[in-house]
Amino acid sequence: MKAIIQREFGQPEVLKLEELDTPQPKQNEVLIRVMAASVNHYDILSRRGDFPSVPLPRIVGMDCSGYIEQNNGDRTDLTIGQGVIVLGTSLGNGDSGGYATHVCVNQDEVFPIPEGLDLTIATCLAMTYLTAWYALTERLQVETGQLLLIPGVGGGVASAALQIAKALGVRVIATTSSPTKQDQVLKLGAEACFNYKNADFIQEIKDWTGGKGVDWVLDAVGGATIQQGLSCLSCRGTLASIGIVRDSNFASMRSLFCLKNSI
């Protein structure tokens, strides 16, 4: 098989296409012929060395989809030729990754793709949309009609959160960095979008809400945006910060915590 191997930390040039033996599935594993793999922020950070504990050499890639070629487990829904997506924690995070023509994955992390769903689109769902769904429905438990602020909505998780929140009937406002991105965010359904490079955007949000502030903030950026988000909350509002990597105090991927504003 062909695979993209990383043998040292560094810029994209450290990733090399190599020819390897096709792996054989162990007990309770399936062999997937990979059709698509997505590029996540973690793939970039771990490649350049932000997480030095990542074992090398390795095959990169935390998300992939493809077709079952062998099934060495007892899952009857994972049939040969079945289109599947990998949803788990091992792919590209210690075990072999998705940047390859084939990969062996534990059957518990493999799921059939609904009929009609494009494999390439399915590949982009795990890290972004499931993360956003969990944050909104399990941790924040947003409700129809409430107002949610999403800072830096140009990112993958934030964009997914905007779309999911709108589908749940939540009112959404956002911040981003340019007029072009503002237009894109409004087309996705945000009621308003503020340029965070404007020093007065916190006041603009307060003015837009009539001084009340927002019910929820979902922050996928970290660092200074956490305090900025707290400043935009209504009394007893809630901020959830997820997957942040910019602040060394919160440098764990897929982390999620909630802060309640009691002022």
Side-chain angles (χ1 to χ4, degrees), residues 123-162:
T123 305
C124 301
L125 297 180
M127 183 72 74
T128 53
Y129 282 84
L130 288 183
T131 299
W133 174 268
Y134 173 75
L136 291 170
T137 63
E138 297 294 328
R139 297 307 300 269
L140 283 178
Q141 298 183 5
V142 294
E143 298 178 7
T144 300
Q146 292 181 320
L147 184 60
L148 169 71
L149 167 64
I150 306 177
V153 77
V157 172
S159 296
L162 168 55

Side-chain angles (χ1 to χ4, degrees), residues 28 30 32 66-85 106-114:
N28 293 324
V30 296
I32 300 172
Y67 298 105
I68 298 290
E69 283 201 348
Q70 295 182 45
N71 182 356
N72 200 22
D74 55 7
R75 291 267 303 273
T76 59
D77 59 333
L78 300 179
T79 58
I80 304 302
Q82 169 72 51
V84 294
I85 183 174
N106 186 284
Q107 64 176 1
D108 292 339
E109 299 189 355
V110 179
F111 297 88
I113 293 175

Side-chain angles (χ1 to χ4, degrees), residues 1 3-6 20 23 26-30 42-43 46 53-64 86-100 102-110:
M1 73 171 189
I4 295 178
I5 305 294
Q6 176 187 356
L20 303 174
K26 301 175 183 177
Q27 185 175 0
N28 293 324
E29 287 187 341
V30 296
Y42 178 81
D43 297 321
S46 59
S53 61
V54 171
L56 297 178
R58 67 168 184 151
I59 300 174
V60 188
M62 296 190 72
D63 283 335
C64 75
V86 180
L87 304 177
T89 59
S90 60
L91 187 73
N93 191 29
D95 288 351
S96 293
Y99 293 8
H102 293 80
V103 66
C104 287
V105 183
N106 186 284
Q107 64 176 1
D108 292 339
E109 299 189 355
V110 179

Side-chain angles (χ1 to χ4, degrees), residues 32-37 64-67 98 100-101 119-120 123:
I32 300 172
R33 176 164 54 92
V34 177
M35 302 304 295
C64 75
S65 63
Y67 298 105
T101 57
L119 285 173
T120 302
T123 305

